[in-house]
């Protein structure tokens, strides 16, 4: 799925109880590319397949208004995590961890959850105030090599059977 422009109130993607099978990994696989505008994940039982790779381009936005599970996240856009909601990641980026970095911004009071051997590289300061949970042999790579990058995880960080890698930065 490619989203290249926005509807005035954003594009809402949702699955309700009557059509909950849309969240099945058997039916919705591949990628969601938010190339422009904004997309809202708003399904009561999830919005897209749990293995879908999500890319958010610079100038585009992904908003999570209800807890949802996706495969991976990368890009240079904006992520909004509504308070009390979770964005759960379950895999490594399709293009590989070395080329598929999250260098975008984030905001909101929601949580970012990495499970099931997820790999996520972040290389920019983030603004969401929820917690970051990393578990299930997942890896979180925090790259501090960019100018002014000093607050990648602003909220609480919880590690449980996971890996945390720090890259870049300078001694001061």
């Amino acid at each position: 799925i490619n989203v290249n422009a926005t509807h005035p109130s954003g594009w809402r993607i949702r699955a309700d109880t009557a059509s909950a099978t849309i969240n099945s990994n058997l039916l919705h696989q591949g990628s969601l590319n938010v190339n422009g505008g904004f997309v809202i994940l708003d399904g009561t039982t999830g919005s897209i397949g749990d293995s879908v790779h999500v890319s958010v381009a610079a100038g585009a936005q992904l908003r999570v208004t209800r807890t949802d599970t996706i495969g991976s996240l990368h890009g240079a856009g904006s992520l909004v995590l509504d308070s009390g909601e979770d964005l759960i990641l379950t895999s490594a980026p399709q293009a590989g961890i070395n080329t598929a970095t999250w260098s975008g911004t984030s905001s909101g009071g929601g949580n970012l959850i990495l499970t099931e051997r997820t790999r996520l590289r972040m290389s920019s300061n983030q603004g969401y105030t929820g917690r970051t949970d990393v578990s299930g042999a997942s890896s979180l790579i925090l790259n501090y090599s960019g100018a002014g990058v000093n607050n990648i995880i602003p909220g609480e960080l919880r590690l449980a059977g996971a890996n945390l890698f720090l890259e870049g930065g300078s001694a001061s």
Side-chain angles (χ1 to χ4, degrees), residues 87-110:
L87 180 60
I88 303 165
L89 308 181
T90 62
S91 67
Q94 199 169 23
I97 192 66
N98 293 322
T99 58
T101 297
W102 178 253
S103 59
T105 61
S106 64
S107 62

Side-chain angles (χ1 to χ4, degrees), residues 81-155:
L81 300 168
D82 278 12
S83 184
E85 304 300 333
D86 299 335
L87 180 60
I88 303 165
L89 308 181
T90 62
S91 67
Q94 199 169 23
I97 192 66
N98 293 322
T99 58
T101 297
W102 178 253
S103 59
T105 61
S106 64
S107 62
N111 307 303
L112 184 62
I113 313 294
L114 284 66
T115 65
E116 301 177 28
R117 299 185 180 271
T118 298
R119 290 187 304 274
L120 176 65
R121 172 178 270 125
M122 300 174 85
S123 64
S124 58
N125 293 329
Q126 300 300 306
Y128 70 96
T129 57
R131 70 181 190 281
T132 304
D133 291 349
V134 187
S135 65
S138 295
S139 296
L140 177 61
I141 301 124
L142 305 178
N143 185 325
Y144 288 92
S145 61
V149 177
N150 58 16
N151 194 23
I152 296 178
I153 303 293

Side-chain angles (χ1 to χ4, degrees), residues 25-88:
N25 288 334
L26 299 174
L27 296 177
H28 189 184
Q29 299 177 350
S31 300
L32 169 62
N33 302 304
V34 186
N35 300 317
F38 66 99
V39 170
I40 303 162
L41 300 182
D42 188 35
T44 57
T45 59
S47 300
I48 58 177
D50 293 354
S51 64
V52 171
H53 299 283
V54 177
S55 171
V56 185
Q61 182 184 92
L62 177 69
R63 181 171 183 183
V64 179
T65 60
R66 294 187 190 225
T67 292
D68 211 332
T69 301
I70 63 174
S72 65
L73 175 69
H74 73 278
S78 172
L79 172 65
V80 178
L81 300 168
D82 278 12
S83 184
E85 304 300 333
D86 299 335
L87 180 60
I88 303 165

Side-chain angles (χ1 to χ4, degrees), residues 2-26:
N2 293 308
V3 177
N4 296 313
T6 196
H7 182 274
S9 54
W11 296 105
R12 288 188 181 275
I13 300 177
R14 66 172 66 168
D16 57 30
T17 53
S19 59
T21 56
I22 195 168
N23 194 34
S24 168
N25 288 334
L26 299 174

